[in-house]
Amino acid sequence: MNMQVPPPARGDGVGRRRPPRTPKGRQVDPVALEEVRGLLTDRSRRRDLLIEHLHLIQDRYGHLSAAHLAALAAEMRMAQAEVYEVATFYSHFDVVKEGETPPPAITVRVCDSLSCAMAGSEELLKKLPAILGKDVRVVHAPCMGACDRAPVVAVGHVQTFKANPDNVAASVKAKPHAHAWHDHKDLAAYQQEGGYKLLKDCLADERTRDELIKIVSDAGLRGMGGAGFPTGRKWSLVRAEPAPRLFAVNCDEGEPGTFKDRYYLERDPHRFIEGMLIAAWVVEARDTYLYIRDEYPELRLMLADEIVKAEKAGLSPHTRIQIRRGAGAYICGEESAMIESIEGKRGLPRHRPPYVAQVGLFGRPTLEQNVETLFWVRDIIEKGVEWATSQGRHERKGFRSFSVSGRVKNPGVKLAPAGITMRELIDEFCGGMQDGQVFKGYLPGGASGGILPASMADIPLDFGMLEKYGSFVGSHAVVVLSEQDDMKAVALNLMKFFEDESCGQCTPCRVGTEKAAKLMEQGPWNTGLLTELSTAMRDASICGLGQAASNPLMCVLKYFPDDLTKPLGKW
């Protein structure tokens, strides 16, 4: 007979665990908790606002202490691990572990992306620590969106253009806090020129959604963030999904060489805002989220001010606009990574399908669009298809905004006909090459778009024209190179950028970019091994970062064989 012995009663002292002498895990410091509550005040404690709340702490104290992170987790009723993994993902958050020394009060970020490196930022990185002293931290940083004014240095969040040791030291001494707004066109000036009439017609049902979709489709308006997806088709796809639908606007241009969104927003923000509100009306988006990169603080503050004016004027009854602040992560320019960041998470790209248009923000169908695309919506609809398609060269139609930097006399944003060639762009829009510089090659689409030689400068620059050469125009970020530039050094600079900016989610990108950078730096270049590594990255990476990271490398191997025999150069 099997007899089961009953467990001992709780009162007999057998089998009971002694209660711990102290609570498990990191305990919340009451002082830190009160400090966090003082910053949050009556703000919502929703999970998707985590990054916004981390910014409040970082801005106030200059870093994120372990005590403040624990307090924030308790206040938001989140696991401390969740808060910590988000805080450590973004480069603009300085997480200080218990017992570590907080960073100095002033941080100087020196852009070391390609255009700034060509203009001397590497020398600045070497010289500034000794000049500024131990009370200032000098760190390297990726592209800050001012490549036409390279090199760029940010003191805190305030940028110094055409930086040198003297003006950077002066900026540090001044301890700048205020952000000077560009002399932009405000709401009153924009309305005096007929602004928001089109939006008002839409809200009054004097225009139809199908009518607007047809106009932008016939005009050939495409996504100008890099992918070039037809805007009218995207609007239709999102509208076909069940409500409620949401809208995410990508103002996170971080591609080295790109600064066109900044250029347009600094000058005419309401042309963009009206386009954004029209797009929200077309897809009937209940909420609109505007995601702005942290490197553009003056734009974020200015847009917040102008959007409030538009709301008070009754121009956004159909959608609620919320501004979200990035925190220094290039990967968040990828649409699904941006959506993860808006939700208060690490910016890790999602596997697809499902696509963002089907399952996007908070699991709802989501329209995702770039700033420049929305900037042209009003003009295209008001002026018509013929106006939009009347421009263009070499059998291409429309116009394109090129961000041009590098060895040209007049860098900047150039509004040029679609299909213009590189040679035409340099000669007609940029004043030619700088004195003493001989045109050698160019990046047609930023860091991701590869490098082409001067002998291929007569190919039309437009979507679908460069892919067969291992290149693409992407966001139309053009960096012009000369005979003084070593193409191996150019490719290495770009690969290091991708290594730093890889989100780390997938092995081919995380390990591939690191391994490629090491092999390229050590030299001599092993063509077979680098080609095999590039193929693995391109075929197996989750998102476009890893898939395109080796484009510059492969272009150098293919188009610049003479540079392969030379020692690795420096700027």
Side-chain angles (χ1 to χ4, degrees):
M1 179 182 291
N2 292 327
M3 297 182 62
Q4 294 185 356
V5 179
R10 286 184 178 272
D12 61 11
V14 179
R16 292 183 62 188
R17 290 184 178 179
R18 295 181 178 178
R21 294 182 179 179
T22 58
K24 296 176 66 176
R26 183 184 298 277
Q27 300 310 296
V28 176
D29 182 343
V31 175
L33 183 60
E34 285 305 309
E35 290 172 340
V36 168
R37 286 174 175 170
L39 290 173
L40 299 186
T41 60
D42 59 351
R43 293 178 175 86
S44 172
R45 269 62 167 172
R46 293 196 324 266
R47 170 69 170 79
D48 60 291
L49 293 172
L50 173 59
I51 294 174
E52 297 295 308
H53 297 343
L54 288 170
H55 274 303
L56 289 174
I57 301 172
Q58 174 79 32
D59 290 346
R60 171 63 180 82
Y61 296 99
H63 64 279
L64 301 174
S65 68
H68 282 141
L69 290 177
L72 181 62
E75 190 66 11
M76 298 186 69
R77 298 187 176 183
M78 294 176 60
Q80 292 185 26
E82 288 184 273
V83 175
Y84 183 82
E85 71 175 8
V86 172
T88 53
F89 180 84
Y90 296 93
S91 64
H92 286 191
F93 292 140
D94 293 308
V95 177
V96 177
K97 298 178 182 178
E98 193 168 352
E100 289 185 344
T101 302
I106 298 177
T107 294
V108 171
R109 290 183 168 88
V110 180
C111 177
D112 64 354
S113 289
L114 183 58
S115 297
C116 285
M118 292 165 62
S121 64
E122 291 185 358
E123 282 300 309
L124 282 174
L125 277 165
K126 294 177 183 177
K127 294 178 179 179
L128 285 178
I131 294 172
L132 301 179
K134 63 180 180 179
D135 294 330
V136 177
R137 179 178 58 162
V138 178
V139 298
H140 76 91
C143 186
M144 297 180 187
C147 316
D148 55 333
R149 293 168 282 184
V152 185
V153 171
V155 179
H157 283 296
V158 181
Q159 294 183 6
T160 297
F161 307 125
K162 296 187 180 297
N164 57 59
D166 292 336
N167 59 22
V168 173
S171 182
V172 169
K173 186 176 181 180
K175 297 180 180 179
H177 296 288
H179 302 288
W181 294 359
H182 201 279
D183 186 18
H184 65 278
K185 190 181 298 181
D186 63 9
L187 176 62
Y190 182 71
Q191 287 185 305
Q192 286 178 358
E193 298 178 357
Y196 288 112
K197 182 182 183 303
L198 175 59
L199 174 64
K200 290 177 180 178
D201 289 346
C202 293
L203 296 176
D205 292 327
E206 294 178 11
R207 307 295 291 262
T208 69
R209 293 174 172 85
D210 289 340
E211 174 192 5
L212 267 57
I213 290 174
K214 186 177 189 312
I215 292 173
V216 299
S217 297
D218 292 346
L221 181 62
R222 306 179 71 160
M224 302 308 296
F229 194 85
T231 299
R233 185 180 173 196
K234 182 178 283 192
W235 286 1
S236 297
L237 289 171
V238 175
R239 273 186 52 77
E241 297 295 326
R245 294 179 281 274
L246 303 176
F247 187 11
V249 181
N250 191 337
C251 184
D252 192 59
E253 59 174 358
E255 184 78 17
T258 306
F259 47 91
K260 57 187 175 60
D261 292 352
R262 178 182 196 161
Y263 174 86
Y264 287 123
L265 289 175
E266 283 179 340
R267 289 156 178 78
D268 200 356
H270 282 281
R271 195 170 300 270
F272 154 72
I273 295 172
E274 183 173 11
M276 177 177 69
L277 292 173
I278 290 170
W281 175 80
V282 169
V283 302
E284 299 177 89
R286 181 185 65 188
D287 292 281
T288 297
Y289 291 83
L290 175 56
Y291 188 89
I292 305 179
R293 67 183 310 209
D294 202 30
E295 288 82 353
Y296 294 169
E298 72 289 346
L299 280 183
R300 175 173 51 83
L301 296 171
M302 181 268 286
L303 283 172
D305 185 64
E306 295 298 331
I307 286 171
V308 167
K309 293 179 184 177
E311 291 173 337
K312 290 182 178 179
L315 297 170
S316 60
H318 55 300
T319 188
R320 292 173 295 186
I321 305 174
Q322 301 183 52
I323 294 180
R324 293 297 173 85
R325 178 180 173 185
Y330 164 75
I331 190 63
C332 290
E334 196 275 340
E335 61 177 6
S336 65
M338 177 187 69
I339 282 174
E340 289 286 300
S341 189
I342 292 174
E343 293 180 356
K345 305 172 187 174
R346 294 175 294 167
L348 302 180
R350 297 177 180 178
H351 293 269
R352 289 171 286 188
Y355 295 94
V356 166
Q358 302 164 309
V359 181
L361 263 172
F362 309 113
R364 300 307 310 163
T366 302
L367 174 67
E368 187 274 342
Q369 297 218 267
N370 162 266
V371 166
E372 194 203 348
T373 303
L374 298 172
F375 185 87
W376 295 116
V377 164
R378 174 198 163 190
D379 287 291
I380 287 173
I381 295 174
E382 285 187 344
K383 297 178 181 179
V385 173
E386 185 177 349
W387 171 81
T389 58
S390 62
Q391 304 178 61
R393 294 186 186 179
H394 308 293
E395 301 181 355
R396 311 301 292 182
K397 293 182 178 181
F399 51 84
R400 301 286 184 262
S401 300
F402 293 89
S403 304
V404 185
S405 61
R407 310 294 186 188
V408 293
K409 285 184 179 178
N410 303 315
V413 173
K414 312 296 179 181
L415 187 62
I420 193 172
T421 68
M422 189 68 245
R423 204 175 306 279
E424 292 168 340
L425 185 64
I426 293 174
D427 293 341
E428 298 177 32
F429 289 83
C430 302
M433 298 291 291
Q434 293 174 356
D435 293 339
Q437 303 285 357
V438 178
F439 182 33
K440 180 178 181 179
Y442 63 103
L443 280 68
S448 305
I451 310 171
L452 297 179
S455 61
M456 298 173 66
D458 297 314
I459 304 170
L461 297 174
D462 203 13
F463 298 109
M465 302 301 292
L466 302 178
E467 281 74 4
K468 62 183 177 182
Y469 304 108
S471 183
F472 54 81
V473 292
S475 61
H476 294 74
V478 173
V479 183
V480 181
L481 308 168
S482 75
E483 288 291 346
Q484 80 173 53
D485 297 312
D486 172 24
M487 294 304 168
K488 290 202 299 181
V490 170
L492 176 60
N493 176 281
L494 300 174
M495 187 62 74
K496 285 185 174 181
F497 167 80
F498 288 122
E499 178 189 2
D500 287 343
E501 295 298 326
S502 173
C503 74
Q505 181 179 189
C506 66
T507 303
C509 176
R510 181 185 68 250
V511 178
T513 52
E514 179 186 8
K515 184 66 173 178
K518 288 181 179 177
L519 291 172
M520 295 164 70
E521 192 164 25
Q522 292 170 356
W525 283 18
N526 185 326
T527 302
L529 182 57
L530 287 171
T531 301
E532 183 179 358
L533 182 59
S534 299
T535 301
M537 292 165 58
R538 183 178 62 248
D539 293 346
S541 295
I542 291 174
C543 80
L545 191 154
Q547 294 164 8
S550 63
N551 283 345
L553 162 63
M554 295 307 297
C555 284
V556 171
L557 293 176
K558 185 175 182 179
Y559 299 119
F560 300 95
D562 291 345
D563 284 58
L564 299 180
T565 61
K566 303 174 184 176
L568 184 64
K570 298 285 186 181
W571 282 289

